[in-house]
């Protein structure tokens, strides 16, 4: 399949989503596992026992971060774009896979 002529707004949203996801991962990697402070606990009565350690919680400025919200909005913008209604069946599926790499490959 030849790469579809994706609308500029769709390409821009996909590119921003591509850049936002690693930024969120970096944010999560440097923060404690719990947003709110807690003293840790044991939960032995579930199918997979766990013992989360005590956590000071996230700093206030990180709790207010819009990183996750931005990622959700971008994902929604890409997945619900009107362009997808112009394709059907396997062509739509293929195009959805292709847009993830649209910036990597030149237009044919």
């Amino acid at each position: 399949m030849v790469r579809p002529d994706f609308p500029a707004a769709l390409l821009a949203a996909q590119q921003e989503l591509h850049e936002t996801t690693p930024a969120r991962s970096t944010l999560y990697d440097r923060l404690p596992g719990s947003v709110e402070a807690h003293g840790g606990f044991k939960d032995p009565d579930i199918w997979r026992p766990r013992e989360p350690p005590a956590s000071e919680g996230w700093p206030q400025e990180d709790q207010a971060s819009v990183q996750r919200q931005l990622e959700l909005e971008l994902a929604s913008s890409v997945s619900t774009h009107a362009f997808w209604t112009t394709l059907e069946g396997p062509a739509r599926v293929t195009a959805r896979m292709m847009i993830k790499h649209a910036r990597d490959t030149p237009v044919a």
Side-chain angles (χ1 to χ4, degrees), residues 2 5 9 19-20 35 37 39 45 65 67 69 76 80 96 102 105:
V2 174
D5 187 19
E19 294 167 359
T20 302
V35 175
D45 297 327
S65 171
Q67 194 71 36
Q69 184 61 35
S76 177
T80 62
R96 284 184 181 263
T105 57

Side-chain angles (χ1 to χ4, degrees), residues 20-89:
T20 302
T21 302
R24 178 192 41 84
S25 294
T26 300
L27 174 69
Y28 287 178
D29 286 346
R30 72 172 177 77
L31 294 171
S34 174
V35 175
E36 297 179 1
H38 69 81
F41 62 89
K42 290 185 179 186
D43 195 359
D45 297 327
I46 60 173
W47 70 273
R48 185 176 178 191
R50 59 188 176 152
E51 295 183 31
S55 171
E56 295 177 7
W58 290 12
Q60 202 63 28
E61 62 272 11
D62 289 322
Q63 288 186 26
S65 171
V66 295
Q67 194 71 36
R68 181 65 179 148
Q69 184 61 35
L70 174 61
E71 187 177 8
L72 291 171
E73 289 171 8
L74 288 166
S76 177
S77 174
V78 169
S79 64
T80 62
H81 194 280
F83 172 76
W84 302 120
T85 63
T86 66
L87 303 170
E88 293 188 18

Side-chain angles (χ1 to χ4, degrees), residues 6-23:
F6 294 114
L10 180 56
L11 284 171
Q14 177 62 44
Q15 181 63 29
E16 191 173 354
L17 178 60
H18 180 74
E19 294 167 359
T20 302
T21 302

